[in-house]
Amino acid sequence: LLYKLSKQPLASKRDAVLISPATYKPDTTRKNDNVVEWSGWCCVDVDDYESKGDLQNDLIGRFSTWRFTCYSTASSTRSNPKFRLVFPLTRNVRSENIRNFWYALQAELGDLADRQTKDLSRMYYIPGKYANAFNFIFSHDGAPLDSDELIFKWPMPEKTNLNSFFDRLPAAMQQQILDYRKNKLDQLPVLYHEDNYRQT
């Protein structure tokens, strides 16, 4: 289906339809609370990727374990390829597990997209032959993603504040900030009141 859509000439993404892995409760609208599950696939938007040589070879080398299809977006250029990675899943992901799965997926892929994204009803523009864009599509044959396996491997911190800028930072950067704050505190002068000071 994605390959068939990729051959369709489109002036811009305004002329394109949207696809989504989400299925909804009967007779409801597109809303996170109405999502029942993600049905058999997931997708990652990638806007800022620094390729080491040929993009196709780079992505296949990096994610050689997984089966995926990569297709360009309407804003993709040769100097800055923008694309989506579509992964088939071993099973559907129930709504109560989607946020945990999304967090784990981003961790597994090296934070290609925002792992804190909260939108269960996410939608994506279809591939196409977009005018004035660098269009491409390719696939790699591997294993489908196992959501339970990834959630077990990359558990989402229970106390993560999804609205906190700090909690959205990568773990390494969080640690650097904590170390910096601790270093600053260690440099503050310590004041003792003689009534409370006891020599040991």
mmCIF file with all atom_site columns, all heavy atoms in Angstrom, residues 99-100 103 114-118 154-169 171 174:
data_model
loop_
_atom_site.group_PDB
_atom_site.id
_atom_site.type_symbol
_atom_site.label_atom_id
_atom_site.label_alt_id
_atom_site.label_comp_id
_atom_site.label_asym_id
_atom_site.label_entity_id
_atom_site.label_seq_id
_atom_site.pdbx_PDB_ins_code
_atom_site.Cartn_x
_atom_site.Cartn_y
_atom_site.Cartn_z
_atom_site.occupancy
_atom_site.B_iso_or_equiv
_atom_site.pdbx_formal_charge
_atom_site.auth_seq_id
_atom_site.auth_comp_id
_atom_site.auth_asym_id
_atom_site.auth_atom_id
_atom_site.pdbx_PDB_model_num
ATOM 1   N N   . ARG A 1 99  ? 1.495  4.607  25.541 1.00 0.00 ? 99  ARG A N   1
ATOM 2   C CA  . ARG A 1 99  ? 2.506  5.572  25.999 1.00 0.00 ? 99  ARG A CA  1
ATOM 3   C C   . ARG A 1 99  ? 3.781  4.856  26.435 1.00 0.00 ? 99  ARG A C   1
ATOM 4   O O   . ARG A 1 99  ? 4.882  5.308  26.147 1.00 0.00 ? 99  ARG A O   1
ATOM 5   C CB  . ARG A 1 99  ? 1.945  6.427  27.136 1.00 0.00 ? 99  ARG A CB  1
ATOM 6   C CG  . ARG A 1 99  ? 0.946  7.474  26.668 1.00 0.00 ? 99  ARG A CG  1
ATOM 7   C CD  . ARG A 1 99  ? 0.619  8.477  27.758 1.00 0.00 ? 99  ARG A CD  1
ATOM 8   N NE  . ARG A 1 99  ? -0.263 9.509  27.260 1.00 0.00 ? 99  ARG A NE  1
ATOM 9   C CZ  . ARG A 1 99  ? -1.581 9.481  27.359 1.00 0.00 ? 99  ARG A CZ  1
ATOM 10  N NH1 . ARG A 1 99  ? -2.168 8.460  27.941 1.00 0.00 ? 99  ARG A NH1 1
ATOM 11  N NH2 . ARG A 1 99  ? -2.320 10.471 26.888 1.00 0.00 ? 99  ARG A NH2 1
ATOM 12  N N   . ASN A 1 100 ? 3.637  3.740  27.136 1.00 0.00 ? 100 ASN A N   1
ATOM 13  C CA  . ASN A 1 100 ? 4.816  2.971  27.539 1.00 0.00 ? 100 ASN A CA  1
ATOM 14  C C   . ASN A 1 100 ? 5.558  2.418  26.329 1.00 0.00 ? 100 ASN A C   1
ATOM 15  O O   . ASN A 1 100 ? 6.795  2.427  26.281 1.00 0.00 ? 100 ASN A O   1
ATOM 16  C CB  . ASN A 1 100 ? 4.407  1.813  28.454 1.00 0.00 ? 100 ASN A CB  1
ATOM 17  C CG  . ASN A 1 100 ? 3.971  2.291  29.830 1.00 0.00 ? 100 ASN A CG  1
ATOM 18  O OD1 . ASN A 1 100 ? 4.329  3.391  30.259 1.00 0.00 ? 100 ASN A OD1 1
ATOM 19  N ND2 . ASN A 1 100 ? 3.201  1.485  30.520 1.00 0.00 ? 100 ASN A ND2 1
ATOM 20  N N   . TYR A 1 103 ? 7.422  5.323  24.479 1.00 0.00 ? 103 TYR A N   1
ATOM 21  C CA  . TYR A 1 103 ? 8.641  5.663  25.207 1.00 0.00 ? 103 TYR A CA  1
ATOM 22  C C   . TYR A 1 103 ? 9.730  4.636  24.915 1.00 0.00 ? 103 TYR A C   1
ATOM 23  O O   . TYR A 1 103 ? 10.878 4.973  24.622 1.00 0.00 ? 103 TYR A O   1
ATOM 24  C CB  . TYR A 1 103 ? 8.343  5.724  26.703 1.00 0.00 ? 103 TYR A CB  1
ATOM 25  C CG  . TYR A 1 103 ? 9.552  6.036  27.564 1.00 0.00 ? 103 TYR A CG  1
ATOM 26  C CD1 . TYR A 1 103 ? 9.841  7.345  27.918 1.00 0.00 ? 103 TYR A CD1 1
ATOM 27  C CD2 . TYR A 1 103 ? 10.393 5.020  28.004 1.00 0.00 ? 103 TYR A CD2 1
ATOM 28  C CE1 . TYR A 1 103 ? 10.948 7.640  28.708 1.00 0.00 ? 103 TYR A CE1 1
ATOM 29  C CE2 . TYR A 1 103 ? 11.501 5.304  28.790 1.00 0.00 ? 103 TYR A CE2 1
ATOM 30  C CZ  . TYR A 1 103 ? 11.774 6.618  29.133 1.00 0.00 ? 103 TYR A CZ  1
ATOM 31  O OH  . TYR A 1 103 ? 12.879 6.893  29.903 1.00 0.00 ? 103 TYR A OH  1
ATOM 32  N N   . ASP A 1 114 ? 10.437 12.411 19.563 1.00 0.00 ? 114 ASP A N   1
ATOM 33  C CA  . ASP A 1 114 ? 10.197 12.727 20.972 1.00 0.00 ? 114 ASP A CA  1
ATOM 34  C C   . ASP A 1 114 ? 9.567  11.536 21.675 1.00 0.00 ? 114 ASP A C   1
ATOM 35  O O   . ASP A 1 114 ? 8.430  11.176 21.401 1.00 0.00 ? 114 ASP A O   1
ATOM 36  C CB  . ASP A 1 114 ? 9.292  13.955 21.068 1.00 0.00 ? 114 ASP A CB  1
ATOM 37  C CG  . ASP A 1 114 ? 9.043  14.391 22.501 1.00 0.00 ? 114 ASP A CG  1
ATOM 38  O OD1 . ASP A 1 114 ? 9.623  13.782 23.418 1.00 0.00 ? 114 ASP A OD1 1
ATOM 39  O OD2 . ASP A 1 114 ? 8.272  15.338 22.702 1.00 0.00 ? 114 ASP A OD2 1
ATOM 40  N N   . ARG A 1 115 ? 10.288 10.932 22.634 1.00 0.00 ? 115 ARG A N   1
ATOM 41  C CA  . ARG A 1 115 ? 9.767  9.752  23.316 1.00 0.00 ? 115 ARG A CA  1
ATOM 42  C C   . ARG A 1 115 ? 8.644  10.092 24.289 1.00 0.00 ? 115 ARG A C   1
ATOM 43  O O   . ARG A 1 115 ? 7.950  9.216  24.779 1.00 0.00 ? 115 ARG A O   1
ATOM 44  C CB  . ARG A 1 115 ? 10.886 9.001  24.030 1.00 0.00 ? 115 ARG A CB  1
ATOM 45  C CG  . ARG A 1 115 ? 11.405 9.638  25.272 1.00 0.00 ? 115 ARG A CG  1
ATOM 46  C CD  . ARG A 1 115 ? 12.236 8.677  26.104 1.00 0.00 ? 115 ARG A CD  1
ATOM 47  N NE  . ARG A 1 115 ? 13.579 8.516  25.574 1.00 0.00 ? 115 ARG A NE  1
ATOM 48  C CZ  . ARG A 1 115 ? 14.515 7.813  26.214 1.00 0.00 ? 115 ARG A CZ  1
ATOM 49  N NH1 . ARG A 1 115 ? 14.245 7.218  27.344 1.00 0.00 ? 115 ARG A NH1 1
ATOM 50  N NH2 . ARG A 1 115 ? 15.720 7.709  25.698 1.00 0.00 ? 115 ARG A NH2 1
ATOM 51  N N   . GLN A 1 116 ? 8.436  11.385 24.575 1.00 0.00 ? 116 GLN A N   1
ATOM 52  C CA  . GLN A 1 116 ? 7.397  11.773 25.529 1.00 0.00 ? 116 GLN A CA  1
ATOM 53  C C   . GLN A 1 116 ? 6.079  12.144 24.845 1.00 0.00 ? 116 GLN A C   1
ATOM 54  O O   . GLN A 1 116 ? 5.143  12.572 25.509 1.00 0.00 ? 116 GLN A O   1
ATOM 55  C CB  . GLN A 1 116 ? 7.878  12.968 26.363 1.00 0.00 ? 116 GLN A CB  1
ATOM 56  C CG  . GLN A 1 116 ? 9.172  12.731 27.096 1.00 0.00 ? 116 GLN A CG  1
ATOM 57  C CD  . GLN A 1 116 ? 9.035  11.737 28.232 1.00 0.00 ? 116 GLN A CD  1
ATOM 58  O OE1 . GLN A 1 116 ? 7.989  11.129 28.378 1.00 0.00 ? 116 GLN A OE1 1
ATOM 59  N NE2 . GLN A 1 116 ? 10.067 11.561 29.025 1.00 0.00 ? 116 GLN A NE2 1
ATOM 60  N N   . THR A 1 117 ? 6.002  12.000 23.539 1.00 0.00 ? 117 THR A N   1
ATOM 61  C CA  . THR A 1 117 ? 4.788  12.364 22.823 1.00 0.00 ? 117 THR A CA  1
ATOM 62  C C   . THR A 1 117 ? 3.577  11.648 23.407 1.00 0.00 ? 117 THR A C   1
ATOM 63  O O   . THR A 1 117 ? 3.608  10.446 23.609 1.00 0.00 ? 117 THR A O   1
ATOM 64  C CB  . THR A 1 117 ? 4.919  12.024 21.330 1.00 0.00 ? 117 THR A CB  1
ATOM 65  O OG1 . THR A 1 117 ? 6.073  12.678 20.812 1.00 0.00 ? 117 THR A OG1 1
ATOM 66  C CG2 . THR A 1 117 ? 3.703  12.493 20.561 1.00 0.00 ? 117 THR A CG2 1
ATOM 67  N N   . LYS A 1 118 ? 2.508  12.398 23.664 1.00 0.00 ? 118 LYS A N   1
ATOM 68  C CA  . LYS A 1 118 ? 1.359  11.839 24.355 1.00 0.00 ? 118 LYS A CA  1
ATOM 69  C C   . LYS A 1 118 ? 0.192  11.504 23.430 1.00 0.00 ? 118 LYS A C   1
ATOM 70  O O   . LYS A 1 118 ? -0.821 11.009 23.892 1.00 0.00 ? 118 LYS A O   1
ATOM 71  C CB  . LYS A 1 118 ? 0.888  12.828 25.426 1.00 0.00 ? 118 LYS A CB  1
ATOM 72  C CG  . LYS A 1 118 ? 1.913  13.094 26.519 1.00 0.00 ? 118 LYS A CG  1
ATOM 73  C CD  . LYS A 1 118 ? 1.400  14.074 27.542 1.00 0.00 ? 118 LYS A CD  1
ATOM 74  C CE  . LYS A 1 118 ? 1.389  15.493 27.003 1.00 0.00 ? 118 LYS A CE  1
ATOM 75  N NZ  . LYS A 1 118 ? 0.989  16.480 28.023 1.00 0.00 ? 118 LYS A NZ  1
ATOM 76  N N   . TRP A 1 154 ? 12.805 -1.273 28.026 1.00 0.00 ? 154 TRP A N   1
ATOM 77  C CA  . TRP A 1 154 ? 12.907 0.164  28.267 1.00 0.00 ? 154 TRP A CA  1
ATOM 78  C C   . TRP A 1 154 ? 11.693 0.648  29.075 1.00 0.00 ? 154 TRP A C   1
ATOM 79  O O   . TRP A 1 154 ? 10.806 1.286  28.527 1.00 0.00 ? 154 TRP A O   1
ATOM 80  C CB  . TRP A 1 154 ? 12.980 0.938  26.950 1.00 0.00 ? 154 TRP A CB  1
ATOM 81  C CG  . TRP A 1 154 ? 14.103 0.560  26.051 1.00 0.00 ? 154 TRP A CG  1
ATOM 82  C CD1 . TRP A 1 154 ? 14.053 -0.240 24.946 1.00 0.00 ? 154 TRP A CD1 1
ATOM 83  C CD2 . TRP A 1 154 ? 15.467 0.994  26.152 1.00 0.00 ? 154 TRP A CD2 1
ATOM 84  N NE1 . TRP A 1 154 ? 15.276 -0.342 24.359 1.00 0.00 ? 154 TRP A NE1 1
ATOM 85  C CE2 . TRP A 1 154 ? 16.176 0.405  25.076 1.00 0.00 ? 154 TRP A CE2 1
ATOM 86  C CE3 . TRP A 1 154 ? 16.150 1.818  27.055 1.00 0.00 ? 154 TRP A CE3 1
ATOM 87  C CZ2 . TRP A 1 154 ? 17.535 0.622  24.881 1.00 0.00 ? 154 TRP A CZ2 1
ATOM 88  C CZ3 . TRP A 1 154 ? 17.503 2.033  26.862 1.00 0.00 ? 154 TRP A CZ3 1
ATOM 89  C CH2 . TRP A 1 154 ? 18.178 1.443  25.789 1.00 0.00 ? 154 TRP A CH2 1
ATOM 90  N N   . PRO A 1 155 ? 11.615 0.342  30.366 1.00 0.00 ? 155 PRO A N   1
ATOM 91  C CA  . PRO A 1 155 ? 10.453 0.775  31.156 1.00 0.00 ? 155 PRO A CA  1
ATOM 92  C C   . PRO A 1 155 ? 10.416 2.294  31.307 1.00 0.00 ? 155 PRO A C   1
ATOM 93  O O   . PRO A 1 155 ? 11.441 2.922  31.545 1.00 0.00 ? 155 PRO A O   1
ATOM 94  C CB  . PRO A 1 155 ? 10.664 0.089  32.509 1.00 0.00 ? 155 PRO A CB  1
ATOM 95  C CG  . PRO A 1 155 ? 12.138 -0.162 32.584 1.00 0.00 ? 155 PRO A CG  1
ATOM 96  C CD  . PRO A 1 155 ? 12.604 -0.400 31.171 1.00 0.00 ? 155 PRO A CD  1
ATOM 97  N N   . MET A 1 156 ? 9.239  2.849  31.169 1.00 0.00 ? 156 MET A N   1
ATOM 98  C CA  . MET A 1 156 ? 9.079  4.295  31.327 1.00 0.00 ? 156 MET A CA  1
ATOM 99  C C   . MET A 1 156 ? 9.082  4.631  32.811 1.00 0.00 ? 156 MET A C   1
ATOM 100 O O   . MET A 1 156 ? 8.360  3.997  33.586 1.00 0.00 ? 156 MET A O   1
ATOM 101 C CB  . MET A 1 156 ? 7.769  4.769  30.686 1.00 0.00 ? 156 MET A CB  1
ATOM 102 C CG  . MET A 1 156 ? 7.613  6.286  30.687 1.00 0.00 ? 156 MET A CG  1
ATOM 103 S SD  . MET A 1 156 ? 6.236  6.856  29.651 1.00 0.00 ? 156 MET A SD  1
ATOM 104 C CE  . MET A 1 156 ? 4.842  6.391  30.652 1.00 0.00 ? 156 MET A CE  1
ATOM 105 N N   . PRO A 1 157 ? 9.888  5.611  33.228 1.00 0.00 ? 157 PRO A N   1
ATOM 106 C CA  . PRO A 1 157 ? 9.907  5.992  34.649 1.00 0.00 ? 157 PRO A CA  1
ATOM 107 C C   . PRO A 1 157 ? 8.505  6.342  35.138 1.00 0.00 ? 157 PRO A C   1
ATOM 108 O O   . PRO A 1 157 ? 7.787  7.088  34.488 1.00 0.00 ? 157 PRO A O   1
ATOM 109 C CB  . PRO A 1 157 ? 10.831 7.214  34.680 1.00 0.00 ? 157 PRO A CB  1
ATOM 110 C CG  . PRO A 1 157 ? 11.685 7.069  33.460 1.00 0.00 ? 157 PRO A CG  1
ATOM 111 C CD  . PRO A 1 157 ? 10.821 6.418  32.425 1.00 0.00 ? 157 PRO A CD  1
ATOM 112 N N   . GLU A 1 158 ? 8.130  5.815  36.282 1.00 0.00 ? 158 GLU A N   1
ATOM 113 C CA  . GLU A 1 158 ? 6.768  5.997  36.783 1.00 0.00 ? 158 GLU A CA  1
ATOM 114 C C   . GLU A 1 158 ? 6.458  7.441  37.119 1.00 0.00 ? 158 GLU A C   1
ATOM 115 O O   . GLU A 1 158 ? 5.338  7.898  36.962 1.00 0.00 ? 158 GLU A O   1
ATOM 116 C CB  . GLU A 1 158 ? 6.548  5.140  38.032 1.00 0.00 ? 158 GLU A CB  1
ATOM 117 C CG  . GLU A 1 158 ? 6.514  3.646  37.737 1.00 0.00 ? 158 GLU A CG  1
ATOM 118 C CD  . GLU A 1 158 ? 6.239  2.820  38.970 1.00 0.00 ? 158 GLU A CD  1
ATOM 119 O OE1 . GLU A 1 158 ? 5.872  3.415  40.008 1.00 0.00 ? 158 GLU A OE1 1
ATOM 120 O OE2 . GLU A 1 158 ? 6.404  1.600  38.894 1.00 0.00 ? 158 GLU A OE2 1
ATOM 121 N N   . LYS A 1 159 ? 7.466  8.178  37.590 1.00 0.00 ? 159 LYS A N   1
ATOM 122 C CA  . LYS A 1 159 ? 7.228  9.552  38.027 1.00 0.00 ? 159 LYS A CA  1
ATOM 123 C C   . LYS A 1 159 ? 7.573  10.574 36.967 1.00 0.00 ? 159 LYS A C   1
ATOM 124 O O   . LYS A 1 159 ? 7.694  11.753 37.250 1.00 0.00 ? 159 LYS A O   1
ATOM 125 C CB  . LYS A 1 159 ? 8.030  9.844  39.301 1.00 0.00 ? 159 LYS A CB  1
ATOM 126 C CG  . LYS A 1 159 ? 7.574  9.021  40.488 1.00 0.00 ? 159 LYS A CG  1
ATOM 127 C CD  . LYS A 1 159 ? 8.342  9.391  41.745 1.00 0.00 ? 159 LYS A CD  1
ATOM 128 C CE  . LYS A 1 159 ? 7.858  8.581  42.943 1.00 0.00 ? 159 LYS A CE  1
ATOM 129 N NZ  . LYS A 1 159 ? 8.589  8.918  44.179 1.00 0.00 ? 159 LYS A NZ  1
ATOM 130 N N   . THR A 1 160 ? 7.741  10.147 35.724 1.00 0.00 ? 160 THR A N   1
ATOM 131 C CA  . THR A 1 160 ? 8.070  11.094 34.668 1.00 0.00 ? 160 THR A CA  1
ATOM 132 C C   . THR A 1 160 ? 6.959  12.128 34.523 1.00 0.00 ? 160 THR A C   1
ATOM 133 O O   . THR A 1 160 ? 5.792  11.785 34.383 1.00 0.00 ? 160 THR A O   1
ATOM 134 C CB  . THR A 1 160 ? 8.256  10.365 33.324 1.00 0.00 ? 160 THR A CB  1
ATOM 135 O OG1 . THR A 1 160 ? 9.366  9.488  33.439 1.00 0.00 ? 160 THR A OG1 1
ATOM 136 C CG2 . THR A 1 160 ? 8.514  11.346 32.196 1.00 0.00 ? 160 THR A CG2 1
ATOM 137 N N   . ASN A 1 161 ? 7.341  13.379 34.581 1.00 0.00 ? 161 ASN A N   1
ATOM 138 C CA  . ASN A 1 161 ? 6.408  14.478 34.364 1.00 0.00 ? 161 ASN A CA  1
ATOM 139 C C   . ASN A 1 161 ? 6.451  14.853 32.896 1.00 0.00 ? 161 ASN A C   1
ATOM 140 O O   . ASN A 1 161 ? 7.403  15.460 32.428 1.00 0.00 ? 161 ASN A O   1
ATOM 141 C CB  . ASN A 1 161 ? 6.784  15.677 35.244 1.00 0.00 ? 161 ASN A CB  1
ATOM 142 C CG  . ASN A 1 161 ? 5.842  16.849 35.052 1.00 0.00 ? 161 ASN A CG  1
ATOM 143 O OD1 . ASN A 1 161 ? 4.926  16.808 34.228 1.00 0.00 ? 161 ASN A OD1 1
ATOM 144 N ND2 . ASN A 1 161 ? 6.060  17.903 35.821 1.00 0.00 ? 161 ASN A ND2 1
ATOM 145 N N   . LEU A 1 162 ? 5.410  14.480 32.155 1.00 0.00 ? 162 LEU A N   1
ATOM 146 C CA  . LEU A 1 162 ? 5.420  14.694 30.715 1.00 0.00 ? 162 LEU A CA  1
ATOM 147 C C   . LEU A 1 162 ? 5.394  16.169 30.346 1.00 0.00 ? 162 LEU A C   1
ATOM 148 O O   . LEU A 1 162 ? 5.679  16.523 29.213 1.00 0.00 ? 162 LEU A O   1
ATOM 149 C CB  . LEU A 1 162 ? 4.216  13.971 30.076 1.00 0.00 ? 162 LEU A CB  1
ATOM 150 C CG  . LEU A 1 162 ? 4.199  12.451 30.298 1.00 0.00 ? 162 LEU A CG  1
ATOM 151 C CD1 . LEU A 1 162 ? 2.990  11.853 29.618 1.00 0.00 ? 162 LEU A CD1 1
ATOM 152 C CD2 . LEU A 1 162 ? 5.471  11.810 29.780 1.00 0.00 ? 162 LEU A CD2 1
ATOM 153 N N   . ASN A 1 163 ? 5.035  17.031 31.296 1.00 0.00 ? 163 ASN A N   1
ATOM 154 C CA  . ASN A 1 163 ? 5.016  18.461 31.010 1.00 0.00 ? 163 ASN A CA  1
ATOM 155 C C   . ASN A 1 163 ? 6.302  19.150 31.459 1.00 0.00 ? 163 ASN A C   1
ATOM 156 O O   . ASN A 1 163 ? 6.453  20.350 31.295 1.00 0.00 ? 163 ASN A O   1
ATOM 157 C CB  . ASN A 1 163 ? 3.811  19.115 31.698 1.00 0.00 ? 163 ASN A CB  1
ATOM 158 C CG  . ASN A 1 163 ? 2.504  18.596 31.140 1.00 0.00 ? 163 ASN A CG  1
ATOM 159 O OD1 . ASN A 1 163 ? 2.364  18.470 29.931 1.00 0.00 ? 163 ASN A OD1 1
ATOM 160 N ND2 . ASN A 1 163 ? 1.555  18.292 32.005 1.00 0.00 ? 163 ASN A ND2 1
ATOM 161 N N   . SER A 1 164 ? 7.220  18.403 32.046 1.00 0.00 ? 164 SER A N   1
ATOM 162 C CA  . SER A 1 164 ? 8.454  18.982 32.551 1.00 0.00 ? 164 SER A CA  1
ATOM 163 C C   . SER A 1 164 ? 9.536  18.968 31.477 1.00 0.00 ? 164 SER A C   1
ATOM 164 O O   . SER A 1 164 ? 9.805  17.934 30.869 1.00 0.00 ? 164 SER A O   1
ATOM 165 C CB  . SER A 1 164 ? 8.942  18.193 33.768 1.00 0.00 ? 164 SER A CB  1
ATOM 166 O OG  . SER A 1 164 ? 10.294 18.488 34.056 1.00 0.00 ? 164 SER A OG  1
ATOM 167 N N   . PHE A 1 165 ? 10.158 20.120 31.264 1.00 0.00 ? 165 PHE A N   1
ATOM 168 C CA  . PHE A 1 165 ? 11.247 20.197 30.282 1.00 0.00 ? 165 PHE A CA  1
ATOM 169 C C   . PHE A 1 165 ? 12.395 19.282 30.692 1.00 0.00 ? 165 PHE A C   1
ATOM 170 O O   . PHE A 1 165 ? 12.973 18.582 29.868 1.00 0.00 ? 165 PHE A O   1
ATOM 171 C CB  . PHE A 1 165 ? 11.736 21.643 30.170 1.00 0.00 ? 165 PHE A CB  1
ATOM 172 C CG  . PHE A 1 165 ? 12.970 21.795 29.326 1.00 0.00 ? 165 PHE A CG  1
ATOM 173 C CD1 . PHE A 1 165 ? 12.894 21.729 27.948 1.00 0.00 ? 165 PHE A CD1 1
ATOM 174 C CD2 . PHE A 1 165 ? 14.218 21.986 29.911 1.00 0.00 ? 165 PHE A CD2 1
ATOM 175 C CE1 . PHE A 1 165 ? 14.032 21.848 27.164 1.00 0.00 ? 165 PHE A CE1 1
ATOM 176 C CE2 . PHE A 1 165 ? 15.358 22.105 29.144 1.00 0.00 ? 165 PHE A CE2 1
ATOM 177 C CZ  . PHE A 1 165 ? 15.257 22.043 27.760 1.00 0.00 ? 165 PHE A CZ  1
ATOM 178 N N   . PHE A 1 166 ? 12.710 19.259 31.985 1.00 0.00 ? 166 PHE A N   1
ATOM 179 C CA  . PHE A 1 166 ? 13.810 18.435 32.490 1.00 0.00 ? 166 PHE A CA  1
ATOM 180 C C   . PHE A 1 166 ? 13.579 16.959 32.179 1.00 0.00 ? 166 PHE A C   1
ATOM 181 O O   . PHE A 1 166 ? 14.481 16.255 31.725 1.00 0.00 ? 166 PHE A O   1
ATOM 182 C CB  . PHE A 1 166 ? 13.969 18.641 33.996 1.00 0.00 ? 166 PHE A CB  1
ATOM 183 C CG  . PHE A 1 166 ? 15.055 17.802 34.610 1.00 0.00 ? 166 PHE A CG  1
ATOM 184 C CD1 . PHE A 1 166 ? 16.383 18.199 34.538 1.00 0.00 ? 166 PHE A CD1 1
ATOM 185 C CD2 . PHE A 1 166 ? 14.757 16.614 35.247 1.00 0.00 ? 166 PHE A CD2 1
ATOM 186 C CE1 . PHE A 1 166 ? 17.397 17.425 35.095 1.00 0.00 ? 166 PHE A CE1 1
ATOM 187 C CE2 . PHE A 1 166 ? 15.755 15.836 35.813 1.00 0.00 ? 166 PHE A CE2 1
ATOM 188 C CZ  . PHE A 1 166 ? 17.076 16.244 35.732 1.00 0.00 ? 166 PHE A CZ  1
ATOM 189 N N   . ASP A 1 167 ? 12.363 16.466 32.415 1.00 0.00 ? 167 ASP A N   1
ATOM 190 C CA  . ASP A 1 167 ? 12.076 15.047 32.214 1.00 0.00 ? 167 ASP A CA  1
ATOM 191 C C   . ASP A 1 167 ? 12.051 14.654 30.739 1.00 0.00 ? 167 ASP A C   1
ATOM 192 O O   . ASP A 1 167 ? 12.086 13.474 30.408 1.00 0.00 ? 167 ASP A O   1
ATOM 193 C CB  . ASP A 1 167 ? 10.742 14.671 32.856 1.00 0.00 ? 167 ASP A CB  1
ATOM 194 C CG  . ASP A 1 167 ? 10.857 14.586 34.368 1.00 0.00 ? 167 ASP A CG  1
ATOM 195 O OD1 . ASP A 1 167 ? 11.943 14.235 34.849 1.00 0.00 ? 167 ASP A OD1 1
ATOM 196 O OD2 . ASP A 1 167 ? 9.876  14.891 35.064 1.00 0.00 ? 167 ASP A OD2 1
ATOM 197 N N   . ARG A 1 168 ? 11.970 15.641 29.863 1.00 0.00 ? 168 ARG A N   1
ATOM 198 C CA  . ARG A 1 168 ? 11.992 15.325 28.433 1.00 0.00 ? 168 ARG A CA  1
ATOM 199 C C   . ARG A 1 168 ? 13.412 15.233 27.886 1.00 0.00 ? 168 ARG A C   1
ATOM 200 O O   . ARG A 1 168 ? 13.611 14.804 26.756 1.00 0.00 ? 168 ARG A O   1
ATOM 201 C CB  . ARG A 1 168 ? 11.212 16.382 27.656 1.00 0.00 ? 168 ARG A CB  1
ATOM 202 C CG  . ARG A 1 168 ? 9.710  16.118 27.648 1.00 0.00 ? 168 ARG A CG  1
ATOM 203 C CD  . ARG A 1 168 ? 8.987  17.129 26.806 1.00 0.00 ? 168 ARG A CD  1
ATOM 204 N NE  . ARG A 1 168 ? 8.374  18.123 27.656 1.00 0.00 ? 168 ARG A NE  1
ATOM 205 C CZ  . ARG A 1 168 ? 8.014  19.329 27.267 1.00 0.00 ? 168 ARG A CZ  1
ATOM 206 N NH1 . ARG A 1 168 ? 8.228  19.707 26.054 1.00 0.00 ? 168 ARG A NH1 1
ATOM 207 N NH2 . ARG A 1 168 ? 7.460  20.159 28.099 1.00 0.00 ? 168 ARG A NH2 1
ATOM 208 N N   . LEU A 1 169 ? 14.394 15.638 28.693 1.00 0.00 ? 169 LEU A N   1
ATOM 209 C CA  . LEU A 1 169 ? 15.787 15.574 28.252 1.00 0.00 ? 169 LEU A CA  1
ATOM 210 C C   . LEU A 1 169 ? 16.300 14.143 28.307 1.00 0.00 ? 169 LEU A C   1
ATOM 211 O O   . LEU A 1 169 ? 15.839 13.343 29.125 1.00 0.00 ? 169 LEU A O   1
ATOM 212 C CB  . LEU A 1 169 ? 16.656 16.457 29.151 1.00 0.00 ? 169 LEU A CB  1
ATOM 213 C CG  . LEU A 1 169 ? 16.383 17.967 29.113 1.00 0.00 ? 169 LEU A CG  1
ATOM 214 C CD1 . LEU A 1 169 ? 17.213 18.667 30.179 1.00 0.00 ? 169 LEU A CD1 1
ATOM 215 C CD2 . LEU A 1 169 ? 16.690 18.535 27.743 1.00 0.00 ? 169 LEU A CD2 1
ATOM 216 N N   . ALA A 1 171 ? 18.643 11.032 29.335 1.00 0.00 ? 171 ALA A N   1
ATOM 217 C CA  . ALA A 1 171 ? 19.148 10.713 30.672 1.00 0.00 ? 171 ALA A CA  1
ATOM 218 C C   . ALA A 1 171 ? 20.546 11.281 30.905 1.00 0.00 ? 171 ALA A C   1
ATOM 219 O O   . ALA A 1 171 ? 20.851 11.782 31.996 1.00 0.00 ? 171 ALA A O   1
ATOM 220 C CB  . ALA A 1 171 ? 19.145 9.198  30.869 1.00 0.00 ? 171 ALA A CB  1
ATOM 221 N N   . GLN A 1 174 ? 20.264 14.941 31.650 1.00 0.00 ? 174 GLN A N   1
ATOM 222 C CA  . GLN A 1 174 ? 19.715 15.130 32.990 1.00 0.00 ? 174 GLN A CA  1
ATOM 223 C C   . GLN A 1 174 ? 20.816 14.971 34.038 1.00 0.00 ? 174 GLN A C   1
ATOM 224 O O   . GLN A 1 174 ? 20.904 15.761 34.986 1.00 0.00 ? 174 GLN A O   1
ATOM 225 C CB  . GLN A 1 174 ? 18.604 14.112 33.251 1.00 0.00 ? 174 GLN A CB  1
ATOM 226 C CG  . GLN A 1 174 ? 17.333 14.361 32.474 1.00 0.00 ? 174 GLN A CG  1
ATOM 227 C CD  . GLN A 1 174 ? 16.265 13.345 32.813 1.00 0.00 ? 174 GLN A CD  1
ATOM 228 O OE1 . GLN A 1 174 ? 16.427 12.520 33.709 1.00 0.00 ? 174 GLN A OE1 1
ATOM 229 N NE2 . GLN A 1 174 ? 15.165 13.388 32.089 1.00 0.00 ? 174 GLN A NE2 1
#
